[in-house]
């Protein structure tokens, strides 16, 4: 009999177990832990006495996972992070029910084999759902914890981060069978061996990105944290949009002064690149705090800087545009003659950081944390820019690097190099900078293209076409301009060619299972099967199985 005290302990255990996988991500970066991190949570779910209890513990564990992986958002969202986590935690309820149904009791034979396919598919379904930008975007996907593991990066070139997530959950599922179900050890061992064989086959025989023979020398300019500077999320142009007129004017003046000091620091650091034969200079997100059309003096300074260095500058303008209403974050390419006319306006904005969803209802969040006082405007389409030597680059802004489909689209449009401009200055002393930088490795491997992650305040990093890091990363304490040699590659990966096929396969597998369950439930003369549960114990201690 489950007592009230036991229920509370199980609820607390679900939250803690759901939070465990966060240790596999940077900064701890215990990548190997991802392959066992779900085991405690799954053992708890398989022992749930009822489906309703499993749903509750799946929900609480999902909320614990969201809080743990996104805990660095607390300075911005404060208590608002908790309701967000509870909302997103609902996405793990179907997975929790699958775990109880397929792993509960003593599964063996077809049910154990089905669990090894359907439980990972159910987890992937939750990742696909929360990858929708309206629910926050694909931050903290389980497969992303393997960003520094070369065999996993090879798998990402086949099926993206989604295929890596499937493999990680499949190994966790097999370990649950090994630990809890002795009769299912054969399919469990077979599943682990199958994952190892699949990874080995991909590693040994799948063609690697083909070197084109070209090299692009890219300089990353990281000015570092400015004293009393604007953070990259709220930006200089929206500071102080609430409050009294005097407070607004003071905040705007302070933000403008900090933006100017940042510009001066980046100009000085870029000047150190003269004579170093670079092909492109990349500044971070919000590196320019005024529209260049409205500030011709800044435009002239950038053009003169480009002429001195002998390379175009990719800057990021975070300002109210002079040619249309609203504030945009825009990647702008500037050459010796000024802006080249190639401009990319950020399409996917950070919830609460750059816009408040349903502001009429949730606008109060601006008074609780550091939510955007005014919504940014979205760009219409991705853009590929051409450099003087003919190399084409695909710009992304901030957490757009978390979306596999965006970098894939740029690659399909002909981008030879992917460039993300970011700023994590608000979260400087948290896990966020390292987590964000690690995403570049996955995007590089998925697309077979080098990836540049340039930030204002670190961590900045550069990755080759296979996802391996090129040169040292720039830490959050660095203020410098570093040059990296990027080997260019040609050809295409299976992920670029076929997209998120693992997600489609997972949905089809789950749909087939639901159809089979439905057909069995309505078959004449056959009652619907009861959800599997752990064997009940009689007063004599013998196991009494349901239905016998």
């Amino acid at each position: 009999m489950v007592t009230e005290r036991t229920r509370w302990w199980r609820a607390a255990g679900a939250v803690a177990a759901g939070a465990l996988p966060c240790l596999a991500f940077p900064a701890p970066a215990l990548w190997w832990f991802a392959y066992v991190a779900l085991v405690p949570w799954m053992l708890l779910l398989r022992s749930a006495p009822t489906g309703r209890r499993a749903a509750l513990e799946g929900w609480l564990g999902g909320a614990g996972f969201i809080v743990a992986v996104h805990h660095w958002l607390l300075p911005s969202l404060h208590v608002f992070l908790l309701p967000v986590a509870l909302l997103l935690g609902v996405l793990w309820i179907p997975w929790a029910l699958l775990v109880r149904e397929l792993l509960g009791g003593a599964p063996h034979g077809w049910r154990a084999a089905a669990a090894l396919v359907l439980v990972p598919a159910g987890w992937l379904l939750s990742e696909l759902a929360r990858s929708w930008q309206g629910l926050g975007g694909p931050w903290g996907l389980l497969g992303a914890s393997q960003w520094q593991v070369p065999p996993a990066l090879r798998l990402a070139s086949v099926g993206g981060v989604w295929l890596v997530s499937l493999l990680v959950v499949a190994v966790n599922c097999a370990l649950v069978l090994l630990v809890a179900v002795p009769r299912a050890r054969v399919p469990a061992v077979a599943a682990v061996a199958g994952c190892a064989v699949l990874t080995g086959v991909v590693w040994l025989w799948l063609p690697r990105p083909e070197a084109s023979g070209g090299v692009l020398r890219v300089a990353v300019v990281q000015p570092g944290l400015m004293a009393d500077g604007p953070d990259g999320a709220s930006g200089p142009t929206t500071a102080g949009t609430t409050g009294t007129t005097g407070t607004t004017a003071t905040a705007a003046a302070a933000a403008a002064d900090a933006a100017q000091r940042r510009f001066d620091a980046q100009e000085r650091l870029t000047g150190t690149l003269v004579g170093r034969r670079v092909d492109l200079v990349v500044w971070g997100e919000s590196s320019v705090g005024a529209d260049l059309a409205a500030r011709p003096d800044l435009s002239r300074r950038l053009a003169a800087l480009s002429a001195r260095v002998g390379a175009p500058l990719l800057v990021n303008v975070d300002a109210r545009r002079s040619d249309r209403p609203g504030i945009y974050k825009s990647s702008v390419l500037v050459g010796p003659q000024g802006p080249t006319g190639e401009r990319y306006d950020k399409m996917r904005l950070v919830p609460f950081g750059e816009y408040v969803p349903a502001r009429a209802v949730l606008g109060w969040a601006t008074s609780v944390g550091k939510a955007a006082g005014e919504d940014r405007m979205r760009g219409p389409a991705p853009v590929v820019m051409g450099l003087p030597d003919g190399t084409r680059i695909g710009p992304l802004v901030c957490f757009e690097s978390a979306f596999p489909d965006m970098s894939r689209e740029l690659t399909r449009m002909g981008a030879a190099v992917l460039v993300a401009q970011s700023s994590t200055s608000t979260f400087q002393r948290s896990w966020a900078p390292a987590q964000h930088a690690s995403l570049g490795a996955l995007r590089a491997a998925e697309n077979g293209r080098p990836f540049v992650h340039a930030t204002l305040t670190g961590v900045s990093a550069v990755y080759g076409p296979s996802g391996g890091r090129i040169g040292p990363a720039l830490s959050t304490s660095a203020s410098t301009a570093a040059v990296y040699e990027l080997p260019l590659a040609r050809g295409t990966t299976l992920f670029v060619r076929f997209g998120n096929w693992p997600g489609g396969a997972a949905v089809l597998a789950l749909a087939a299972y639901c159809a089979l369950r439905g057909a069995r439930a309505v078959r004449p003369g056959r009652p619907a099967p009861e959800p599997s549960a752990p064997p009940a114990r009689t007063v004599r201690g013998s196991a009494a199985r349901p239905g016998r």
Side-chain angles (χ1 to χ4, degrees), residues 153 166 263 294 384 506 529:
L153 292 174
L166 280 176
F263 186 95
V384 172

Side-chain angles (χ1 to χ4, degrees), residues 107-130:
H108 64 281
W110 75 267
R111 191 152 66 92
L116 292 166
V117 174
L118 296 173
V119 169
W123 178 278
L124 191 61
L125 189 66
S126 70
E127 292 198 338
L128 293 171
R130 71 186 180 91

